[in-house]
Amino acid sequence: MNPPNEIEVIPSPEDSQSGSSRRSFLKGAALTGATTLAALSGLATAASAQQHEEDNDSMKSEHDHLKKGDRDILIAAEIAEALAVTTYSNIIDIAPFFKALASDDQGYLIAARKEEMSHYLLEQSVTDQFTPFTQFFYPKKMFTDAQTTLNVLITLEDAFIAAYLVGVRNFSTRNLRVTAARIMGIESDHRTLARVLAPNVTAPFGGPIETTTGIQGVAESVDPPNNNGYERTLCWTSIDQALAALTPFVDFNAAKAAGFDTSQAFPFQPFNPTLPNPLGDFISFSGC
């Protein structure tokens, strides 16, 4: 299925138990062209035509002058966004508590899925590379236990916020820094809204959920759901720190070591998103 010169991305349980180390993961994430999926290529082309028709000069400028450090951050962001799409998709499709949520809570999750996919396609259009990881592992009971689901979702949003703040800190151009800040704001919305819906989980599914635990490992009351005066950087200054945090979600051996469920890998299934409101769509890298 993959050309012989491609790196092996997600080893199955039957593969060699030596696996890939964290070092090889970090190195592999920065390599060019780890996957060449025709479906993703078609989606990127369609998204470019549909969403960025009026911004060709700006897109070309960002693409043609991309530095290695910029590319590394964008590829890491693609991995994160593919993971986010996969997470939201499976909450919507298979989590038992989803259908019992109020319509506005369901709507948040559905819209978040579209927004994460839009982020992915935007980043892929600049790098001309696909995410090097297209399957993901999760902690046990991820999509069957609502508390676990929300804890992991908030953990991931915490990581995404901090990762995009690394972009704000380290991107080489003002346009990329502005774009990173714009995406980070949406990830912050997602974190807060996940905490909003927690108390609305119904009793048959373990609700109401009154505390959630994010990436810092501390249970926090969901009252108020917007409990950040300032976004948390997690003291990350390098994109490698974000990649390290994502390692158990993408690498079989790291997932096993972290106690994740390695009996099933969930595939990234891309699609063409329609954002909830055209006023919130991408206009240009400069933000105007």
Side-chain angles (χ1 to χ4, degrees), residues 215-263:
I215 198 169
Q216 292 172 294
V218 177
E220 301 177 58
S221 172
V222 296
D223 184 16
N226 56 325
N227 66 339
N228 283 336
Y230 302 89
E231 295 303 339
R232 304 177 191 185
T233 69
L234 305 179
C235 297
W236 291 356
T237 57
S238 166
I239 200 60
D240 285 355
Q241 292 167 289
L243 288 170
L246 297 181
T247 303
F249 292 91
V250 304
D251 178 79
F252 173 79
N253 290 293
K256 186 174 182 180
F260 283 22
D261 181 1
T262 55
S263 66

Coordinates of all heavy atoms in Angstrom, one line a residue, residues 215-263:
I215 N -4.5 18.3 30.5 CA -3.1 17.8 30.3 C -2.2 17.9 31.5 O -1.2 17.2 31.7 CB -2.5 18.5 29.1 CG1 -1.2 17.7 28.6 CG2 -2.1 19.9 29.4 CD1 -0.7 18.2 27.2
Q216 N -2.6 18.8 32.5 CA -1.8 19.0 33.7 C -2.1 18.1 34.8 O -1.4 18.1 35.8 CB -1.9 20.5 34.1 CG -1.3 21.5 33.2 CD -1.6 22.9 33.5 OE1 -2.7 23.4 33.5 NE2 -0.6 23.7 33.9
G217 N -3.1 17.2 34.5 CA -3.3 16.1 35.5 C -4.0 16.5 36.7 O -4.0 15.8 37.7
V218 N -4.7 17.7 36.7 CA -5.3 18.2 37.9 C -6.8 18.3 37.6 O -7.2 18.9 36.7 CB -4.8 19.6 38.3 CG1 -5.5 20.1 39.5 CG2 -3.3 19.5 38.6
A219 N -7.6 17.7 38.5 CA -9.1 17.8 38.3 C -9.5 19.2 38.6 O -9.2 19.8 39.7 CB -9.8 16.8 39.3
E220 N -10.3 19.8 37.7 CA -10.7 21.2 37.8 C -12.2 21.3 37.7 O -12.8 20.6 36.8 CB -10.1 22.1 36.7 CG -8.6 22.1 36.7 CD -8.0 22.9 35.6 OE1 -8.3 24.1 35.5 OE2 -7.3 22.3 34.7
S221 N -12.9 22.0 38.6 CA -14.3 22.2 38.5 C -14.7 22.8 37.2 O -14.0 23.7 36.6 CB -14.8 23.1 39.6 OG -16.1 23.5 39.5
V222 N -15.8 22.4 36.7 CA -16.3 22.9 35.4 C -17.1 24.2 35.6 O -17.6 24.8 34.7 CB -17.2 21.9 34.7 CG1 -16.4 20.7 34.3 CG2 -18.4 21.5 35.5
D223 N -17.2 24.7 36.8 CA -17.8 25.9 37.2 C -16.8 26.9 37.6 O -16.2 26.8 38.7 CB -18.9 25.7 38.3 CG -19.7 27.0 38.6 OD1 -19.6 27.9 37.8 OD2 -20.3 27.0 39.7
P224 N -16.4 28.0 36.8 CA -17.0 28.3 35.5 C -16.2 27.5 34.4 O -15.0 27.1 34.6 CB -16.7 29.8 35.4 CG -15.4 30.0 36.1 CD -15.5 29.0 37.3
P225 N -16.9 27.2 33.3 CA -16.2 26.5 32.2 C -15.0 27.3 31.6 O -14.0 26.7 31.2 CB -17.3 26.2 31.2 CG -18.3 27.2 31.5 CD -18.3 27.5 33.0
N226 N -15.2 28.6 31.6 CA -14.1 29.5 31.1 C -13.2 29.9 32.2 O -13.3 31.0 32.7 CB -14.6 30.7 30.3 CG -15.6 31.5 31.2 OD1 -16.3 31.0 32.0 ND2 -15.6 32.8 31.0
N227 N -12.3 29.0 32.7 CA -11.6 29.2 33.9 C -10.1 29.7 33.7 O -9.3 29.6 34.5 CB -11.6 28.0 34.8 CG -10.8 26.8 34.2 OD1 -10.6 26.8 33.0 ND2 -10.4 25.9 35.0
N228 N -9.8 30.2 32.5 CA -8.5 30.7 32.2 C -8.6 32.2 32.0 O -9.3 32.7 31.2 CB -7.9 30.1 30.9 CG -7.4 28.7 31.1 OD1 -7.1 28.3 32.2 ND2 -7.4 27.9 30.0
G229 N -7.8 32.9 32.8 CA -7.6 34.3 32.5 C -6.6 34.6 31.4 O -6.7 35.6 30.7
Y230 N -5.7 33.6 31.2 CA -4.7 33.7 30.1 C -4.5 32.2 29.7 O -4.6 31.3 30.5 CB -3.4 34.2 30.6 CG -3.5 35.6 31.2 CD1 -3.8 35.8 32.5 CD2 -3.4 36.7 30.4 CE1 -3.9 37.1 33.1 CE2 -3.5 38.0 30.9 CZ -3.8 38.2 32.2 OH -3.9 39.4 32.8
E231 N -4.3 32.1 28.4 CA -4.1 30.7 27.9 C -2.8 30.1 28.5 O -1.8 30.8 28.7 CB -4.0 30.7 26.3 CG -5.3 31.2 25.6 CD -6.5 30.3 26.0 OE1 -6.3 29.2 26.4 OE2 -7.6 30.8 25.8
R232 N -2.9 28.8 28.7 CA -1.8 28.1 29.3 C -0.7 27.7 28.3 O -1.0 27.0 27.3 CB -2.3 26.9 30.1 CG -3.3 27.2 31.1 CD -3.9 26.0 31.8 NE -5.1 26.4 32.6 CZ -5.7 25.5 33.4 NH1 -5.3 24.3 33.5 NH2 -6.8 25.9 34.0
T233 N 0.5 28.1 28.4 CA 1.6 27.8 27.5 C 2.2 26.4 27.8 O 2.9 25.9 26.9 CB 2.7 28.8 27.6 OG1 3.4 28.7 28.8 CG2 2.2 30.2 27.4
L234 N 1.9 25.9 29.0 CA 2.5 24.6 29.4 C 4.1 24.7 29.5 O 4.7 23.7 29.5 CB 2.1 23.4 28.6 CG 0.6 23.2 28.5 CD1 0.3 22.0 27.6 CD2 -0.1 23.1 29.8
C235 N 4.6 25.9 29.4 CA 6.0 26.2 29.4 C 6.7 25.6 28.1 O 7.9 25.4 28.1 CB 6.7 25.7 30.6 SG 6.1 26.6 32.1
W236 N 5.9 25.4 27.1 CA 6.4 24.9 25.8 C 7.0 26.0 25.0 O 6.4 27.0 24.8 CB 5.4 24.2 25.0 CG 4.9 22.9 25.6 CD1 5.3 22.3 26.7 CD2 3.8 22.1 25.1 NE1 4.6 21.1 26.9 CE2 3.6 21.0 25.9 CE3 3.0 22.2 24.0 CZ2 2.7 20.0 25.7 CZ3 2.0 21.2 23.7 CH2 1.9 20.1 24.6
T237 N 8.3 25.8 24.6 CA 8.9 26.8 23.7 C 9.4 26.2 22.4 O 9.8 26.9 21.5 CB 10.2 27.4 24.5 OG1 11.1 26.3 24.8 CG2 9.8 28.1 25.7
S238 N 9.3 24.9 22.3 CA 9.7 24.1 21.1 C 8.6 23.2 20.6 O 7.9 22.6 21.5 CB 11.0 23.3 21.3 OG 11.2 22.4 20.3
I239 N 8.4 23.1 19.3 CA 7.4 22.2 18.8 C 7.6 20.7 19.1 O 6.7 19.9 19.2 CB 7.2 22.4 17.3 CG1 5.8 21.9 16.8 CG2 8.3 21.7 16.5 CD1 4.6 22.6 17.5
D240 N 8.9 20.4 19.4 CA 9.2 19.0 19.8 C 8.5 18.7 21.1 O 8.1 17.5 21.3 CB 10.7 18.9 20.0 CG 11.5 18.8 18.7 OD1 10.8 18.8 17.7 OD2 12.7 18.7 18.8
Q241 N 8.2 19.6 22.0 CA 7.5 19.3 23.2 C 6.1 19.0 22.9 O 5.5 18.1 23.6 CB 7.6 20.6 24.2 CG 9.0 20.8 24.7 CD 9.1 22.2 25.3 OE1 9.1 23.2 24.7 NE2 9.2 22.2 26.7
A242 N 5.5 19.6 22.0 CA 4.1 19.3 21.5 C 4.1 17.9 20.9 O 3.2 17.1 21.2 CB 3.6 20.3 20.6
L243 N 5.1 17.6 20.1 CA 5.1 16.3 19.4 C 5.3 15.2 20.5 O 4.7 14.1 20.4 CB 6.3 16.2 18.4 CG 6.0 17.0 17.1 CD1 7.3 17.1 16.3 CD2 4.9 16.4 16.3
A244 N 6.1 15.4 21.5 CA 6.3 14.4 22.5 C 5.0 14.1 23.3 O 4.7 13.0 23.6 CB 7.4 14.9 23.5
A245 N 4.2 15.2 23.5 CA 2.9 15.0 24.2 C 2.0 14.1 23.3 O 1.1 13.4 23.9 CB 2.3 16.3 24.5
L246 N 2.1 14.2 22.0 CA 1.2 13.5 21.1 C 1.7 12.0 20.8 O 0.9 11.2 20.3 CB 1.0 14.2 19.8 CG 0.4 15.6 19.8 CD1 0.3 16.2 18.4 CD2 -1.0 15.6 20.5
T247 N 2.9 11.7 21.2 CA 3.5 10.4 20.9 C 2.6 9.2 21.2 O 2.4 8.3 20.4 CB 4.9 10.3 21.5 OG1 5.7 11.3 21.1 CG2 5.5 9.0 21.1
P248 N 2.0 9.1 22.4 CA 1.2 7.9 22.7 C 0.0 7.8 21.8 O -0.5 6.7 21.7 CB 0.8 8.2 24.2 CG 1.8 9.1 24.7 CD 2.2 10.0 23.6
F249 N -0.5 8.9 21.2 CA -1.6 8.8 20.4 C -1.3 8.3 19.0 O -2.2 7.9 18.3 CB -2.3 10.2 20.3 CG -2.9 10.7 21.6 CD1 -2.2 11.5 22.5 CD2 -4.2 10.4 21.9 CE1 -2.7 11.9 23.6 CE2 -4.8 10.8 23.1 CZ -4.0 11.6 24.0
V250 N 0.0 8.4 18.6 CA 0.3 8.0 17.2 C 1.2 6.8 17.1 O 1.3 6.2 16.0 CB 1.0 9.2 16.5 CG1 0.1 10.4 16.5 CG2 2.3 9.5 17.1
D251 N 1.9 6.4 18.2 CA 2.9 5.4 18.1 C 2.5 4.2 19.0 O 2.1 4.3 20.1 CB 4.3 5.9 18.6 CG 5.3 4.8 18.6 OD1 5.9 4.5 17.5 OD2 5.6 4.2 19.7
F252 N 2.5 3.0 18.4 CA 2.0 1.8 19.0 C 2.7 1.5 20.3 O 2.1 1.3 21.4 CB 2.1 0.6 18.1 CG 1.7 -0.7 18.8 CD1 0.4 -1.1 19.0 CD2 2.7 -1.6 19.2 CE1 0.0 -2.3 19.6 CE2 2.4 -2.8 19.9 CZ 1.0 -3.1 20.0
N253 N 4.0 1.5 20.3 CA 4.8 1.2 21.5 C 4.6 2.2 22.6 O 4.5 1.9 23.8 CB 6.2 1.0 21.1 CG 6.5 -0.3 20.3 OD1 6.3 -1.4 20.8 ND2 6.8 -0.1 19.0
A254 N 4.6 3.5 22.2 CA 4.4 4.6 23.2 C 3.0 4.5 23.7 O 2.8 4.7 24.9 CB 4.6 5.9 22.5
A255 N 2.0 4.1 22.9 CA 0.6 4.0 23.4 C 0.5 2.8 24.4 O -0.1 2.9 25.4 CB -0.3 3.7 22.2
K256 N 1.2 1.7 24.1 CA 1.2 0.6 25.0 C 1.8 0.9 26.3 O 1.3 0.6 27.4 CB 1.9 -0.6 24.3 CG 1.8 -1.9 25.1 CD 2.4 -3.0 24.3 CE 2.3 -4.3 25.0 NZ 2.9 -5.5 24.3
A257 N 3.0 1.6 26.2 CA 3.7 2.0 27.5 C 2.8 3.0 28.3 O 2.9 3.0 29.6 CB 5.0 2.7 27.1
A258 N 2.0 3.8 27.7 CA 1.2 4.7 28.4 C -0.1 4.1 28.9 O -0.9 4.8 29.6 CB 0.8 5.9 27.5
G259 N -0.3 2.8 28.6 CA -1.5 2.2 29.1 C -2.7 2.4 28.2 O -3.9 2.2 28.6
F260 N -2.5 2.9 27.0 CA -3.6 3.1 26.0 C -4.1 1.8 25.5 O -3.5 0.7 25.6 CB -3.1 4.0 24.9 CG -3.0 5.4 25.1 CD1 -2.9 5.9 26.4 CD2 -3.0 6.3 24.1 CE1 -2.7 7.3 26.7 CE2 -2.9 7.7 24.3 CZ -2.8 8.2 25.6
D261 N -5.3 1.8 24.9 CA -5.9 0.6 24.3 C -5.2 0.5 22.9 O -5.5 1.3 22.0 CB -7.4 0.8 24.2 CG -8.1 -0.4 23.5 OD1 -7.4 -1.4 23.2 OD2 -9.3 -0.4 23.3
T262 N -4.4 -0.5 22.7 CA -3.7 -0.7 21.5 C -4.4 -1.8 20.6 O -3.9 -2.2 19.6 CB -2.2 -1.1 21.7 OG1 -2.2 -2.2 22.5 CG2 -1.5 0.1 22.3
S263 N -5.6 -2.3 21.0 CA -6.3 -3.3 20.3 C -6.9 -2.7 19.0 O -7.3 -3.5 18.1 CB -7.3 -4.0 21.1 OG -8.4 -3.0 21.5

